[in-house]
Amino acid sequence: MTYIENVFICMVSPLLIGALCMGKRKISFFFFCFAGMSACMLSAYINTFFAVLYKADAFVAAAEIAPVVEEVMKFLPLLFFLLIFEPEPGKIKTAAMIVGLSFATFENVCYLIQNGAEYFSFIFFRGFGTGAMHVICSAIVGDGLAYAWHRAWLKIAGTCGLLGAAITFHATYNLLIAYGGAAQYIAYALPVMILAAGKLIFKKR
C-alpha cells in the first residue's frame, strides 16, 4: 500500500523550507510546485472514487478516467491564477509547465514506491516518457491559454478545446501503456520524440 499523503509531506517539506528561505520573489515557483503535487495526490483519490463508482477495471480507469481527472486537476491551479492575478502570457506558460512537471515528478515517485526501482531500463524510459507527456499536455494548455485567455470571444471555447486536446493526448498515451508489450515502449518514446521534433522546428524558426 502506498501512503500517498506521507510521500506528499516528505516531498513538500523541503520545498516549503526553500520557499521560506528564498523570499517573496520566488514564492510563485514554490506555489505552483505545491499545486502540481497536490493535484497529483488528489487525482489519485478522485480516480479511485470514479473507478469504484463505475466499476471500471484497471484498463478502463487508465484510458478513460485518469486522463480527464488529471488534466482537469492540473488546470484548476491555472484557473485560480488566471482569475485572481490576470497574469501576462509568459507567466501563464511558466505556471502551466511548473504544475505539469511537479505533477509528473510526484507521480513517478509514487510509482517507484509502489512498484520498486530494480528494473533500471524500464524505470528510465517510463520516467522520461511520463515527464515528456505531462510537459506536452502542459504546453498545450499553457501556450493555448496564453493566447486565448486575453480574447473574450475565445476564452471559454478555447479553454474547453485546449483541455480536450490535452485529455486526448494523455488518453492515447495511457491507452498504449495499458495495452502493454511493444505498444508500451512506443508510448514512452512518443512524447520524447514529439518534444524533440517541436524543439527542432522552433529552433529553426
Side-chain angles (χ1 to χ4, degrees), residues 12-152:
V12 165
S13 297
L15 291 174
L16 180 60
I17 294 171
L20 295 173
C21 294
M22 297 289 286
K24 293 182 178 180
R25 294 186 63 183
K26 301 293 183 181
I27 196 71
S28 60
F29 170 81
F30 292 101
F31 170 78
F32 289 115
C33 281
F34 299 149
M37 292 183 185
S38 299
C40 187
M41 181 178 67
L42 293 173
S43 294
Y45 290 121
I46 297 171
N47 286 338
T48 303
F49 170 77
F50 281 115
V52 172
L53 180 66
Y54 293 111
K55 299 179 181 179
D57 57 20
F59 186 89
V60 172
E64 298 181 14
I65 297 174
V68 178
V69 171
E70 292 180 8
E71 293 307 322
V72 170
M73 291 301 297
K74 285 193 294 183
F75 171 69
L76 292 180
L78 294 177
L79 181 62
F80 173 82
F81 185 47
L82 290 166
L83 292 175
I84 301 301
F85 297 100
E86 298 182 356
E88 299 172 359
K91 292 183 178 180
I92 298 173
K93 297 177 184 179
T94 302
M97 198 61 64
I98 295 172
V99 170
L101 288 171
S102 55
F103 189 105
T105 301
F106 189 79
E107 185 178 75
N108 277 339
V109 170
C110 291
Y111 181 87
L112 287 174
I113 293 172
Q114 186 174 5
N115 297 282
E118 61 269 24
Y119 301 107
F120 172 77
S121 59
F122 177 77
I123 294 299
F124 177 83
F125 286 115
R126 189 193 185 280
F128 274 97
T130 300
M133 182 272 292
H134 282 293
V135 166
I136 291 173
C137 292
S138 297
I140 290 171
V141 175
D143 289 10
L145 285 176
Y147 177 82
W149 195 259
H150 297 283
R151 291 164 175 79

Side-chain angles (χ1 to χ4, degrees), residues 143 194-205:
D143 289 10
I194 292 173
L195 275 182
K199 191 72 175 177
L200 184 61
I201 292 170
F202 282 108
K203 188 175 180 180
K204 287 184 177 181
R205 286 184 179 179

